[in-house]
Amino acid sequence: MSNPLLQKFKSKHTTAPFSKIKNKHFKPAFIEGIKRAKAEINTITNNTEVPTFKNTIEALDFSGYTLDRLSSVFFNLNSAETNDEIQKIAQEVSPWLSEFSNDIRLNEKLFQRVKTLYENRKNLELTIEQNTLLDKKYKSFSRNGANLNDTDKAKLREIDKKLSKLSLQFGENVLAETNAYELHILNEDEIKGLPQGAKEAAQLLAKEKEKKGWVFTLDYPSYVPFMTYVNNRELREKLAKAFGSRAFKHNKNDNQQIVLDIVKLRHKRANLLGYKTHAHFVLEERMAETPEKVLSFSDDLLVKAKPAAKLEFNQLTSYAQKDGIEQLQKWDGAYYSEKLKKDLFDLDQEALKPYFRLENVINGVFKVANKLFGLQFNKVDDIDKYHEEVKTYEVTNLKGDFIAIFYADFFPRKGKRNGAWMTSYKSQWIKDDENSRPHVSIVCNFTKPTETQPSLLTFNEVTTLFHEFGHALHGMLANTTYPSLSGTSVYWDFVELPSQILENWCYEKEALDLFARHYESNEPITQEIVQKIKDSSNFLEGIQTLRQLSFGMLDMSWHGKDPTNIDNVKDFEASVFADTRLYPDVAENCMSTSFSHIFQGGYSSGYYSYKWAEVLDADAFELFKETGIFNKKTANKLTKNILSQGGTEKPMALYKRFRGKEPNTDALLKRAGLLKK
Ligand SMILES: [Zn+2]
């Protein structure tokens, strides 16, 4: 009985042997994989020699190879080509895996070896990368309470238990409130302005609920088109208020007390572990490093973007006056923005698509990678794959050296989740003088070809492809020693730099000329269209910036200060929003009670990252603007200092080596057209 997941992959470049893997192989493979990983950990902890970097830290980082590879195969399949059986297996094995990682985290013998090394790190003569790895391993224990005495350890576990319950409850309440509401329309006149597609969806929803007419809900696919297109202002107000008052109605689903409990418990937890606040705890492992830095970056952007935002708001207000509106309200924003945008730019997304035939765009992104980094993508057919639609490439550099395997999976299928992402089947590392190269994949859900038409991408899909390809480059160009520091294994607020910087090439005529040609006439895209794309992408950027900043500031206010004395969620929130407010406050609404990003998911003290990443990519791209967007020297600098370095060093140090300075907000403000206003 041979299980392909438990043997060394003998395929070319040790790629995953998809065609040999059956669903029945997974569970026994996980059991055996965990067993092998445990045995490797035991070898480390039972070693009678004194701990050394090699016999402890390095051994730990290279342990669990079988488990890692089979996990990446399994969980990637669960995202890209899943079925009931795979989902069932996932449900079963996920607890095994968390139990296994908990066991490591709580392994006292292992921690003592790591700690001995950490405390003696100055005398170990480690390289920068080794130091980073030691620090990372040590923190994975200490940040989970390994240094606490037994009483405090018990306290921490108690807090963690309460917190996970509260977050779960928070999410359930938001969901219950979202599901409890529907807007039922019987008179078609009331939803005038709504596009046909959205109307049909609402009709279908009504049918499902065995109702006549149209039903709208607070789910985004229903809510967003309604707020953007429906002419009826009273109904927009009604729906907006329903949306904004979720979990803020003093009923059984109310989240106000839960918000207060969560922030206070997080604060306590941080204090227990020796941190000033929860934000200090989180930001220790971020490029931004401290809440003070996040706040000064936010304030800087706010001061510079606010005048532009006010001008835009006035422009929008006077535009709405033709409908007799004196005071623009929250439920008018999306509606008039869309109308004004159409008036100003009239950029027909459908008319753009013929310039972006999928095959041309892929070749375009390969050409860009070739011009910048000297990479060559050779399509090959002898790599095993999980679905016939997947394309496989062998990537080589200028010298012809093998760099990576690249998988690309473009079209929607039953069994593939929504969205687009980059992932990998094998990371990169160097061991015994061998540089073991990575297997990287991008998975998308692009418009499919039809019998009469090839796959033509929207401009949004084009930037998505460049974005995911940027992540893929981060994986493919990786050149580090240790697997856990390789490629995209970097801090959260740094990981979007390679992806977002690559999107910039989509707005440059010189780059578009490489691939953006009409698929029938072969005409290149015109400068006029490119300018229109740029202008419309910056439309109302001031208002958008203020909105994003306000969410980030709310997050940081909840988590960056001692929350002990906060007792009213709405009042606290209102005081935070005072600086960024454009629309009048709505008394019966509250953002925090449904702010799932920070109270349910793992994004607390992290919301700023969206803007932070934009600042970074604009600032980094500025160097290409200055030296030429295909300047090889600049591209080399990017590879040498960032794309190849993974998480081997603090991101700010890597960034400064590339850019020669710390990032600032000027390039972003310039790109967004906010500086000249
Ligand atoms: Zn991304």
Side-chain angles (χ1 to χ4, degrees):
M1 276 242 300
S2 68
N3 187 329
L5 288 162
L6 290 172
Q7 293 152 8
K8 193 171 159 30
F9 298 165
K10 290 195 193 75
S11 31
K12 192 176 177 193
H13 302 301
T14 73
T15 51
F18 292 108
S19 62
K20 295 198 186 80
I21 300 169
K22 304 278 174 283
N23 285 346
K24 65 168 185 199
H25 292 133
F26 284 118
K27 266 194 333 200
F30 272 111
I31 291 169
E32 175 63 22
I34 290 173
K35 207 170 119 193
R36 287 184 196 174
K38 274 186 178 163
E40 286 167 34
I41 303 278
N42 283 340
T43 310
I44 298 170
T45 52
N46 293 336
N47 194 334
T48 49
E49 288 166 36
V50 291
T52 63
F53 183 84
K54 202 173 166 55
N55 76 18
T56 302
I57 304 297
E58 197 173 292
L60 189 57
D61 210 48
F62 280 106
S63 72
Y65 176 79
T66 308
L67 185 60
D68 279 353
R69 291 219 58 187
L70 91 92
S71 295
S72 69
V73 169
F74 178 76
F75 288 103
N76 280 323
L77 281 184
N78 193 29
S79 295
E81 182 65 13
T82 194
N83 53 47
D84 290 349
E85 207 182 334
I86 289 186
Q87 278 166 8
K88 228 184 101 206
I89 299 170
Q91 296 269 347
E92 239 175 297
V93 303
S94 293
W96 302 350
L97 292 168
S98 27
E99 197 191 309
F100 171 64
S101 51
N102 273 339
D103 283 351
I104 295 183
R105 227 160 27 115
L106 300 174
N107 187 326
E108 187 57 33
K109 260 165 112 183
L110 186 60
F111 175 58
Q112 286 312 325
R113 289 184 79 91
V114 174
K115 191 177 177 178
T116 306
L117 291 163
Y118 182 77
E119 283 173 345
N120 191 33
R121 63 193 180 280
K122 294 220 162 56
N123 306 317
L124 297 177
E125 294 179 6
L126 302 177
T127 64
I128 292 176
E129 181 177 356
Q130 289 172 330
N131 249 314
T132 305
L133 188 67
L134 174 55
D135 190 65
K136 187 175 176 166
K137 297 291 181 209
Y138 175 74
K139 295 267 168 62
S140 73
F141 292 98
S142 69
R143 286 170 62 84
N144 284 300
N147 279 319
L148 298 180
N149 62 38
D150 286 347
T151 322
D152 285 348
K153 265 184 188 152
K155 268 190 205 161
L156 188 76
R157 272 197 294 276
E158 196 51 39
I159 292 177
D160 282 341
K161 234 164 75 190
K162 279 188 193 159
L163 272 174
S164 71
K165 242 184 164 164
L166 285 167
S167 296
L168 207 66
Q169 190 61 49
F170 183 96
E172 281 170 10
N173 287 346
V174 174
L175 188 67
E177 286 275 287
T178 305
N179 291 339
Y181 183 87
E182 64 171 46
L183 178 64
H184 187 199
I185 301 287
L186 284 165
N187 177 359
E188 195 170 358
D189 281 349
E190 291 187 325
I191 47 168
K192 256 196 191 140
L194 198 66
Q196 198 51 37
K199 244 186 216 178
E200 281 166 14
Q203 208 163 18
L204 206 66
L205 208 57
K207 234 183 221 158
E208 277 170 22
K209 298 181 177 227
E210 295 178 1
K211 287 183 175 164
K212 287 205 173 74
W214 300 264
V215 164
F216 298 90
T217 68
L218 301 178
D219 286 318
Y220 281 106
S222 180
Y223 177 74
V224 173
F226 194 99
M227 298 309 295
T228 312
Y229 296 107
V230 168
N231 298 337
N232 188 316
R233 196 182 186 210
E234 284 75 42
L235 285 178
R236 287 202 315 266
E237 176 176 351
K238 199 173 165 186
L239 199 65
K241 282 186 172 168
F243 189 85
S245 61
R246 282 173 306 158
F248 185 59
K249 292 202 285 282
H250 304 278
N251 59 11
K252 68 175 176 16
N253 298 327
D254 193 289
N255 270 339
Q256 291 175 80
Q257 192 54 48
I258 292 182
V259 166
L260 294 175
D261 290 348
I262 288 178
V263 293
K264 287 172 192 182
L265 279 170
R266 281 177 178 166
H267 187 70
K268 241 193 197 162
R269 185 184 195 278
N271 287 170
L272 200 57
L273 290 169
Y275 297 84
K276 207 170 144 201
T277 68
H278 178 67
H280 286 87
F281 170 76
V282 171
L283 290 164
E284 182 185 53
E285 299 204 316
R286 297 288 187 266
M287 183 180 183
E289 291 180 350
T290 61
E292 291 72 27
K293 194 141 197 178
V294 172
L295 286 177
S296 80
F297 137 87
S298 307
D299 281 342
D300 180 49
L301 263 184
L302 178 61
V303 167
K304 288 170 177 158
K306 207 167 168 176
K310 281 192 167 156
L311 278 178
E312 289 166 6
F313 190 75
N314 291 342
Q315 184 190 13
L316 208 57
T317 302
S318 52
Y319 182 75
Q321 264 162 5
K322 67 180 173 49
D323 287 350
I325 288 172
E326 289 302 322
Q327 174 62 59
L328 216 54
Q329 300 285 352
K330 275 194 179 133
W331 42 90
D332 299 318
Y335 179 77
Y336 285 105
S337 301
E338 178 63 26
K339 286 226 160 3
L340 180 59
K341 186 174 180 178
K342 205 157 186 296
D343 273 10
L344 289 178
F345 304 107
D346 195 28
L347 188 68
D348 181 357
Q349 294 294 339
E350 282 302 307
L352 284 180
K353 283 166 70 174
Y355 291 98
F356 300 118
R357 181 182 176 158
L358 176 64
E359 289 77 5
N360 295 346
V361 182
I362 299 165
N363 283 333
V365 80
F366 287 166
K367 274 184 198 165
V368 169
N370 183 268
K371 283 173 87 93
L372 288 170
F373 310 111
L375 294 179
Q376 187 79 41
F377 288 78
N378 314 298
K379 196 161 174 289
V380 288
D381 295 318
D382 54 355
I383 300 287
D384 209 341
K385 49 200 191 186
Y386 57 88
H387 192 280
E388 54 178 17
E389 275 177 4
V390 178
K391 298 196 167 25
T392 47
Y393 302 85
E394 238 170 44
V395 188
T396 51
N397 66 10
L398 275 180
K399 287 184 277 176
D401 303 331
F402 173 65
I403 293 296
I405 293 293
F406 179 60
Y407 300 86
D409 180 359
F410 290 117
F411 302 120
R413 277 191 306 269
K414 189 176 174 276
K416 192 195 269 193
R417 71 171 158 90
N418 292 331
W421 62 95
M422 166 270 183
T423 182
S424 78
Y425 286 95
K426 177 192 168 299
S427 62
Q428 173 275 337
W429 65 78
I430 299 171
K431 201 182 177 189
D432 305 328
D433 287 330
E434 191 212 332
N435 193 329
S436 180
R437 301 305 307 167
H439 306 160
V440 168
S441 169
I442 61 171
V443 188
C444 315
N445 280 282
F446 291 152
T447 316
K448 264 189 126 158
T450 65
E451 265 178 27
T452 53
Q453 220 180 38
S455 168
L456 302 176
L457 304 189
T458 63
F459 186 70
N460 196 15
E461 289 175 326
V462 175
T463 56
T464 300
L465 180 58
F466 272 72
H467 180 104
E468 298 312 330
F469 191 76
H471 283 307
L473 284 171
H474 203 184
M476 292 188 281
L477 290 169
N479 203 17
T480 66
T481 307
Y482 302 108
S484 75
L485 300 177
S486 179
T488 54
S489 307
V490 299
Y491 290 162
W492 274 21
D493 55 354
F494 192 56
V495 75
E496 296 300 330
L497 172 60
S499 53
Q500 290 188 185
I501 193 176
L502 217 73
E503 289 182 43
N504 287 281
W505 275 265
C506 302
Y507 297 87
E508 298 294 325
K509 183 81 166 73
E510 195 188 343
L512 287 165
D513 279 345
L514 297 172
F515 65 95
R517 288 175 171 275
H518 197 285
Y519 80 103
E520 285 168 326
S521 67
N522 206 32
E523 287 288 319
I525 197 162
T526 64
Q527 180 58 44
E528 195 197 334
I529 301 181
V530 177
Q531 194 56 46
K532 247 190 195 176
I533 294 175
K534 270 191 194 176
D535 290 345
S536 72
S537 78
N538 286 336
F539 178 64
L540 299 187
E541 190 62 31
I543 294 180
Q544 286 306 334
T545 302
L546 238 60
R547 189 180 136 87
Q548 284 282 327
L549 283 175
S550 72
F551 296 165
M553 286 168 155
L554 180 61
D555 173 23
M556 212 37 85
S557 304
W558 278 124
H559 296 115
K561 277 175 266 177
D562 181 353
T564 313
N565 294 322
I566 307 173
D567 55 11
N568 186 307
V569 175
K570 174 74 182 180
D571 287 351
F572 179 75
E573 180 177 299
S575 72
V576 175
F577 282 161
D579 260 359
T580 50
R581 177 166 292 135
L582 292 167
Y583 296 94
D585 180 50
V586 183
E588 58 266 56
N589 283 7
C590 181
M591 162 99 194
S592 300
T593 53
S594 61
F595 200 172
S596 303
H597 265 79
I598 64 167
F599 292 120
Q600 182 190 355
Y603 229 67
S604 61
S605 309
Y607 203 91
Y608 76 92
S609 312
Y610 292 110
K611 268 289 157 217
W612 178 270
E614 279 182 51
V615 167
L616 278 189
D617 92 75
D619 188 76
F621 189 65
E622 191 74 1
L623 192 60
F624 282 98
K625 296 279 263 190
E626 285 163 16
T627 57
I629 65 162
F630 288 117
N631 186 298
K632 287 217 165 63
K633 247 177 134 175
T634 309
N636 263 335
K637 261 176 122 176
L638 185 67
T639 307
K640 193 169 160 240
N641 298 302
I642 293 177
L643 295 177
S644 68
Q645 291 296 313
T648 53
E649 226 178 307
K650 290 252 192 260
M652 192 59 92
L654 295 175
Y655 189 84
K656 273 160 74 179
R657 222 167 287 142
F658 160 67
R659 193 62 174 94
K661 64 174 188 70
E662 282 201 14
N664 67 46
T665 55
D666 291 350
L668 175 66
L669 292 160
K670 209 158 82 187
R671 183 175 75 185
L674 294 176
L675 267 193
K676 47 183 198 288
K677 277 183 192 166

